Amino acid sequence: MTERTREPSISDTPSPADEPGPGRRPVITRADIIAAALNLLGPTRSVSTLSLREVAREAGIAPNSFYRHFRDVDELAVALIDLAGQSLRQIIGVARQRAGSEPGVVQGCTDAFMEQLRADDRLLHILLRESTVGSAAFKRAAEQQMNFFEEELCIDLIRLAAEKNSGLYDPALTAKAITRLVFAMGATALDMPEEGRAELNRQIVGMVRMIIAGTQALAAKTPAEAHPS
Amino acid sequence: MTERTREPSISDTPSPADEPGPGRRPVITRADIIAAALNLLGPTRSVSTLSLREVAREAGIAPNSFYRHFRDVDELAVALIDLAGQSLRQIIGVARQRAGSEPGVVQGCTDAFMEQLRADDRLLHILLRESTVGSAAFKRAAEQQMNFFEEELCIDLIRLAAEKNSGLYDPALTAKAITRLVFAMGATALDMPEEGRAELNRQIVGMVRMIIAGTQALAAKTPAEAHPS
DNA sequence: TGTACATCAGTGAACGCGCGTTCACTGATGTAC
DNA sequence: TGTACATCAGTGAACGCGCGTTCACTGATGTAC
């Protein structure tokens, strides 16, 4: 039904395709299998619950053909998380563009986040779910991607605060609070029918504004510690 | 028999024990099975991944004996979520006691929360995990428990604000932000070794303070809308 | 150019495993008399 | 009081299923000559 456009990726077509060499050409690619896996991920499915046979079935190949492309399901999961990370990085880029142009910075960024969340919902589901369930390795990978988001946000917060001549109580902590909150709310948004999202979007904007107002207010109380590293 | 109300009641020791009646006495109880299930839940296991046979093994009974106590694993899951909800309600009680006595309200409540989190970690894991993974029904149940927490917090926030003569931008939204953030951070705390928790505790306190400072600051800007319902 | 050959993506069949669920049963424990 | 009986918690064996993984294979496609 909804054919998703695949973006080029680090892990899309790995070394095997770099130099063809002799032998039969592949009719199915890693990317095809990843797409099949994404097709199966829904609001109640985490990567850890995907079975090899199920993914193979969805991809239209025999179960054992899976091994031609991935060592096991875990390797597929890593590729998925990696892809999700890329999508996340794309969000940051879009949000940054919006931040400058729109009247309300928070509103613009939140809109950008939510739009991306919807567009790449399957992919971002992965980060949100795998960071709470899934093996320790998956958690670490997902956590890493979120930390990256957090750091980028922190940089932007400091820049924006400097532009507006307002302080920040603890930029890193502020960024973390916003990140965690936005992701937590985003996770519930993904499980929601279309009609509830606007309200949720409004709530997120309100929450982020509270945090920013709070970090500024606290900074005003203790101005000497405005930018602790 | 067909009319089975799936009402989530207090499920510790249900009707079978209320009135013994004739027949062999049970040597194992629902509570024993629940305890066995809790024993199996760790940082990487969600309720949905528990298998009937596994729980039965842990409880020391034959797989089919499970059916004497629960209709299926889903019913066990409901009981677990219910129990987790009770634990959550206990947190609210403890935190309320602390709120009055300690110097820093936020610090006291957060400490109470984190202590309870550690004490009942297996149980609260359930709420945190099942609200992001698991069937729609589990999600709804977990969400419901969190909403309850949120409402209680909202009432307390309003009361505290009234005592201190400070406004609240949007009490419900403030409560929601604090709840989601605290739970999200709490979830990562559960996956953490002991030594990181103090730092995380500190972070949570800082975040909550930011939100409260923010809601007060925003209320000061638009005082007419201090308590919108 | 054609032909032989090597490579290797994809396959069908089979394996052993743990699963949920069922069945007929066993035997302990309470009740009735 | 003792005895017969009804209840029902727990059991062992069995079922069919989907799983991950293996094996030897097939046959398409590239390379060497």
Side-chain angles (χ1 to χ4, degrees):
Chain A
M1 278 295 188
T2 47
E3 264 309 309
R4 64 169 25 266
T5 55
R6 263 191 319 279
E7 29 212 324
S9 147
I10 304 168
S11 39
D12 252 348
T13 343
S15 40
D18 290 338
E19 200 176 329
R24 189 172 168 185
R25 308 307 316 134
V27 312
I28 215 173
T29 65
R30 267 173 87 99
D32 291 328
I33 295 178
I34 289 174
L38 283 173
N39 235 3
L40 292 169
L41 290 174
T44 58
R45 305 287 314 265
S46 77
V47 175
S48 341
T49 69
L50 288 178
S51 83
L52 182 150
R53 286 181 111 102
E54 197 180 9
V55 173
R57 216 180 297 129
E58 180 74 18
I61 57 174
N64 42 5
S65 300
F66 183 91
Y67 294 108
R68 299 273 173 211
H69 303 277
F70 297 94
R71 187 147 30 108
D72 49 25
V73 195
D74 273 26
E75 197 177 298
L76 169 63
V78 169
L80 284 168
I81 291 174
D82 189 51
L83 218 53
Q86 288 175 241
S87 171
L88 190 58
R89 257 162 269 166
Q90 203 177 324
I91 292 185
I92 301 171
V94 174
R96 266 208 185 123
Q97 275 184 300
R98 296 282 187 90
S101 59
E102 299 236 346
V105 175
V106 173
Q107 179 76 52
C109 289
T110 306
D111 287 351
F113 181 84
M114 293 302 283
E115 275 171 34
Q116 189 72 14
L117 197 67
R118 190 176 327 178
D120 255 357
D121 62 343
R122 295 285 162 81
L123 220 37
L124 289 164
H125 248 130
I126 294 168
L127 280 188
L128 293 165
R129 298 218 188 295
E130 228 55 33
S131 64
T132 60
V133 198
S135 74
F138 295 173
K139 262 185 208 164
R140 219 176 307 121
E143 200 73 22
Q144 200 175 304
Q145 300 294 349
M146 301 233 322
N147 283 340
F148 181 78
F149 185 92
E150 208 174 293
E151 284 164 24
E152 294 294 301
L153 178 60
C154 186
I155 292 169
D156 281 12
L157 282 176
I158 292 174
R159 188 166 47 75
L160 283 170
E163 283 174 13
K164 296 174 106 183
N165 275 332
S166 68
L168 290 174
Y169 166 60
D170 182 341
L173 193 63
T174 308
K176 190 166 201 162
I178 293 175
T179 303
R180 302 294 158 144
L181 196 48
V182 165
F183 272 83
M185 293 295 286
T188 75
L190 289 174
D191 299 337
M192 218 172 220
E194 192 55 42
E195 62 264 25
R197 300 212 178 177
E199 163 65 8
L200 208 117
N201 198 326
R202 200 189 61 73
Q203 289 185 351
I204 294 177
V205 171
M207 288 176 178
V208 174
R209 284 204 174 122
M210 277 196 282
I211 293 176
I212 290 178
T215 196
Q216 290 173 345
L218 289 181
K221 279 187 194 170
T222 58
E225 296 293 315
H227 287 188
S229 62
Chain B
M1 275 306 170
T2 50
E3 184 150 325
R4 196 65 126 105
T5 56
R6 56 187 342 239
E7 139 201 19
S9 62
I10 298 168
S11 29
D12 252 345
T13 334
S15 41
D18 291 337
E19 201 176 331
R24 187 173 166 182
R25 307 307 317 133
V27 312
I28 216 172
T29 65
R30 268 172 86 100
D32 291 328
I33 295 178
I34 289 174
L38 283 174
N39 234 2
L40 292 169
L41 290 174
T44 59
R45 304 287 314 263
S46 76
V47 176
S48 340
T49 69
L50 288 178
S51 83
L52 182 150
R53 287 183 111 102
E54 198 179 8
V55 174
R57 215 179 297 130
E58 180 74 18
I61 56 174
N64 42 4
S65 299
F66 182 91
Y67 293 108
R68 298 274 172 210
H69 302 277
F70 297 95
R71 202 176 352 138
D72 48 26
V73 195
D74 273 26
E75 199 179 297
L76 169 62
V78 168
L80 284 169
I81 292 174
D82 190 51
L83 218 54
Q86 287 175 242
S87 171
L88 191 57
R89 254 162 272 164
Q90 203 178 323
I91 292 185
I92 301 172
V94 175
R96 264 205 188 126
Q97 274 185 299
R98 295 281 188 93
S101 60
E102 298 237 347
V105 176
V106 173
Q107 180 75 53
C109 289
T110 306
D111 286 350
F113 181 84
M114 294 301 284
E115 273 171 36
Q116 189 72 15
L117 197 67
R118 189 177 327 178
D120 256 356
D121 63 341
R122 293 286 163 79
L123 221 37
L124 288 164
H125 247 132
I126 295 170
L127 280 188
L128 293 166
R129 298 217 187 296
E130 227 56 32
S131 64
T132 61
V133 199
S135 74
F138 295 175
K139 264 185 207 161
R140 219 176 307 121
E143 200 73 21
Q144 200 175 304
Q145 300 293 349
M146 301 234 320
N147 283 340
F148 181 77
F149 186 91
E150 208 174 292
E151 284 164 23
E152 294 293 303
L153 178 59
C154 186
I155 292 170
D156 280 11
L157 282 175
I158 292 175
R159 188 165 48 74
L160 283 170
E163 283 175 11
K164 296 173 104 182
N165 276 331
S166 66
L168 291 174
Y169 166 61
D170 182 339
L173 192 64
T174 308
K176 190 167 201 162
I178 293 175
T179 303
R180 302 293 158 145
L181 196 48
V182 165
F183 272 83
M185 293 295 285
T188 76
L190 288 175
D191 300 336
M192 217 173 221
E194 190 56 40
E195 63 265 25
R197 300 212 178 176
E199 163 64 10
L200 208 115
N201 198 326
R202 201 191 59 75
Q203 290 185 348
I204 294 177
V205 171
M207 289 176 177
V208 173
R209 285 205 173 122
M210 278 195 282
I211 292 176
I212 289 178
T215 196
Q216 290 173 345
L218 290 180
K221 280 187 192 170
T222 57
E225 295 294 315
H227 287 188
S229 63

